[in-house]
Amino acid sequence: MSDSAYKVETTSRLAQWRIENLASCTYRKSDPFKMGKWNWHLSVEKNRVLLVKLYPEISNLTRDNPPIASYNIRVVCSAGDRKALTHPEITDRQLKNSDDFVWQIEVPLTGKFIIDVEFLDLKTTSPEGGEPCSIWAEGSAKKQSNATALVSLGRMLTESIHTDITINASDGSIGAHRAVLAARSPVFQSMFAHDLKEKELSTINICDMSIEACQAFLNYIYGNIQHEEFLVHRLALLQAADKYDIVDLKEACHESLLEDIDTKNVLERLQSASLYQLPKLKISCMQYLVKFGKIYDIRDDFNVFMQCADRDLIAEVFNEVLGAWKGF
């Protein structure tokens, strides 16, 4: 049997194990695959029923800090109409060994099938105690803006200390500081260095952003953004980062958008990846749709998307689909 028979493919928070055939009375365990801080295994055992298990690899990390997982898991017949068997959503289940999650499937399965696991969250408990914390809630935005060193700068914005320029959003205005904006963005620096209307009038019009998104944009620039605020406004922040050439914000948005691709947002993110030239996000969205077969789950939305998308992007999607047809 080839090594690929045990390999689990992963992207973002999704893992898929493709099984060509499972004879009666057999057992198979996947190769380890990385998700979050842990290595994981899937296993199947077929006798009178099919048993599917998901568990972390035994290690010091698992013993000392076992994952608390929320996920959706299903088995998809990869031929014909791709019939799927779906387990009820698992929420905040601690997994230490191979007996902590066992799914007993009594429906007979033959031929090729896929075990599909979509991780919704992974939490750990702190050695000091307290409530479990999501490992994906730490966020790159906070790390890249070093809040402890920028407390006073944040106060300048929140308390409007000596603001000298006004930013007009689509539905409101915010005071800011030329020096801070110029230091963070070469586009703002150019505005203030030349005799442009922004320099003369002491205003900047950002009419394509709401006041809430604009506030989040400034909060990031000043090192004062909160993780939830960052998540809510990621796409608007990505647009602003591209427009004003703030490289670290664009990368923070890029990395964050990679983390939670799902059927509700994959098409929007694919469009953004193409528009703002985000190669990793584009590849991940393509894999999610084509390699992992999610294109079948959103056929209607995908058809609408294909009628409106850029021609070059449509061509890339079709090339990906044709490549997949040659494979599995």
Side-chain angles (χ1 to χ4, degrees), residues 32-272:
F33 62 94
K34 187 79 171 180
M35 192 63 64
K37 300 178 180 180
W38 302 268
N39 287 322
W40 297 79
H41 288 285
L42 282 162
S43 72
V44 290
E45 181 178 356
K46 187 175 181 183
N47 200 328
R48 287 174 298 178
V49 297
L50 183 70
L51 300 180
V52 178
K53 298 182 179 182
L54 171 70
Y55 53 96
E57 194 172 59
I58 296 175
S59 65
N60 290 335
L61 175 62
T62 303
R63 282 190 292 267
D64 297 339
N65 210 342
I68 300 172
S70 299
Y71 54 93
N72 289 319
I73 184 168
R74 62 179 188 164
V75 173
V76 182
C77 295
S78 58
D81 61 355
R82 295 178 64 89
K83 181 186 296 183
L85 301 174
T86 304
H87 190 282
E89 182 176 309
I90 302 296
T91 304
D92 290 343
R93 179 173 296 185
Q94 187 176 79
L95 301 176
K96 289 184 177 180
N97 56 58
S98 61
D99 293 324
D100 287 335
F101 174 77
V102 181
W103 181 14
Q104 181 173 300
I105 300 175
E106 298 184 356
V107 177
L109 294 174
T110 58
K112 300 178 182 180
F113 61 93
I114 302 169
I115 299 176
D116 182 297
V117 185
E118 187 171 14
F119 288 81
L120 306 175
D121 203 1
L122 285 171
K123 296 179 181 178
T124 61
T125 54
S126 169
E128 291 77 32
E131 291 294 320
C133 179
S134 172
I135 66 168
W136 286 320
E138 297 165 359
S140 59
K142 204 66 172 178
K143 296 175 185 177
Q144 295 181 9
S145 55
N146 199 341
T148 55
L150 300 176
V151 170
S152 59
L153 193 60
R155 284 186 56 237
M156 288 171 58
L157 178 68
T158 57
E159 299 176 21
S160 299
I161 300 173
H162 300 302
T163 57
D164 58 4
I165 196 162
T166 300
I167 296 180
N168 297 320
S170 64
D171 54 350
S173 300
I174 309 172
H177 305 81
R178 298 170 189 259
V180 176
L181 299 181
R184 294 291 277 120
S185 161
V187 176
F188 286 136
Q189 184 179 27
S190 179
M191 285 181 182
F192 305 140
H194 300 88
D195 292 328
L196 302 178
K197 64 178 182 180
E198 289 85 2
K199 180 178 180 180
E200 181 182 348
L201 301 176
S202 295
T203 60
I204 300 174
N205 294 319
I206 309 181
C207 299
D208 54 354
M209 294 185 80
S210 68
I211 190 67
E212 291 83 4
C214 193
Q215 182 69 63
F217 179 47
L218 290 175
N219 284 344
Y220 181 89
I221 288 176
Y222 283 71
N224 199 35
I225 195 166
Q226 299 301 310
H227 183 63
E228 290 303 318
E229 180 184 27
F230 177 78
L231 290 181
V232 168
H233 297 291
R234 276 178 294 183
L235 290 177
L237 292 174
L238 174 61
Q239 178 183 353
D242 185 76
K243 180 178 179 180
Y244 296 105
D245 196 16
I246 303 179
V247 176
D248 55 305
L249 175 55
K250 186 173 181 178
E251 184 59 25
C253 294
H254 190 185
E255 292 297 327
S256 180
L257 291 168
L258 284 165
E259 292 179 350
D260 56 354
I261 297 168
D262 60 29
T263 53
K264 298 182 183 68
N265 61 40
V266 63
L267 296 177
E268 181 181 41
R269 294 191 185 181
L270 179 58
Q271 184 69 52
S272 295

